[in-house]
Amino acid sequence: MSNRLAVFDCDGTLVDSQHSICTAMTLAFEGEKLAVPDRTTILSVVGLSLPLAIARLLPEAEADFHDHLSESYKRAFQQMRRDNAVSEPLYPGIAELIRQLNADGWLLGVATGKSDRGLNLCLSHHGIHAHFVTLQTADRHPSKPHPSMLLTAMADAGAIPETTVMIGDTSYDIDMALNSGTRALGVGWGYHPPADLIAAGAHGVAMDSDELNAHIRAA
């Protein structure tokens, strides 16, 4: 039998990083003397790889400028880390859910628009890094909803689509799961409304960690 694999998005699913993301994006735009998108608009692109997210926020600009602004965002975020100004708290119940699934024989992974460095720092800070057998980031893959991250996670874990579930807070996560042939579960505490996740084809949307635990184990 193939291994059971649960793959989580990070920002908006495991951790609430909206304050730090919005602050870094504001600093990047202000540094170029550009009008800063509103908070809802910024959060709507969380989960995409950074250049694609910037392109959604600034569609009239050229690709080279999207890359330039992406680097500005990274520098702003790195400075915030040096200043101990990054806030990425785990959502309620997530640490216990991760421990329970791991103890019950589930293999765990992450598929995220974060960088390798950012993801490793985040998971290590919360003491949950060791629970994950596969970590897939925007550093090595096309942006969601391309299936590359999830397909690689399954290959790493010895899992197949029928024994894998993708959990995320955005329609990009749901689309990636469907593009990979896996179950797709949404969480209602992140950055896209639950109705958008259902419309994208989520097989279920959990409103708290207990409900998510039940959904994951339902297959």
Side-chain angles (χ1 to χ4, degrees), residues 10-204:
C10 188
D11 298 310
T13 301
L14 295 177
V15 301
D16 186 4
S17 47
Q18 61 179 296
H19 173 74
S20 296
I21 290 170
C22 290
T23 299
M25 196 66 77
T26 296
L27 291 170
F29 270 71
E30 287 180 344
E32 300 295 333
K33 296 182 170 51
L34 296 168
V36 179
D38 62 68
R39 189 179 193 85
T40 300
T41 302
I42 293 173
L43 293 178
S44 74
V45 300
V46 173
L48 296 173
S49 296
L50 190 52
L52 183 54
I54 297 289
R56 293 280 183 93
L57 297 177
L58 206 64
E60 67 276 12
E62 298 292 334
D64 286 350
F65 190 75
H66 295 153
D67 292 338
H68 170 75
L69 201 56
S70 296
E71 292 303 315
S72 297
Y73 173 94
K74 290 177 185 178
R75 287 194 297 273
F77 212 101
Q78 289 163 4
Q79 185 61 51
M80 290 164 60
R81 284 201 185 279
R82 288 191 289 271
D83 294 340
N84 293 316
V86 171
S87 175
E88 297 178 314
L90 288 170
Y91 285 103
I94 288 296
E96 181 59 25
L97 171 62
I98 295 299
R99 285 192 287 267
Q100 286 179 1
L101 290 170
N102 184 255
D104 291 343
W106 283 81
L107 298 182
L108 306 178
V110 176
T112 176
K114 278 185 177 297
S115 66
D116 287 332
R117 180 175 183 272
L119 178 60
N120 286 322
L121 285 169
C122 178
L123 298 181
S124 297
H125 173 75
H126 292 297
I128 59 175
H129 191 285
H131 293 304
F132 295 94
V133 302
T134 180
L135 301 174
Q136 305 303 323
T137 75
D139 283 349
R140 288 167 284 114
H141 295 280
S143 178
K144 299 174 184 178
H146 192 284
S148 177
M149 282 193 273
L150 194 46
L151 294 175
T152 303
M154 286 189 279
D156 283 354
I160 59 175
E162 292 79 6
T163 61
T164 300
V165 57
M166 176 68 206
I167 302 109
D169 69 303
T170 71
S171 59
Y172 317 126
D173 299 305
I174 305 305
D175 289 341
M176 180 174 65
L178 299 180
N179 289 340
S180 305
T182 74
R183 274 199 301 152
L185 295 179
V187 299
W189 53 77
Y191 306 148
H192 285 192
D196 289 359
L197 307 181
I198 293 169
H203 297 105

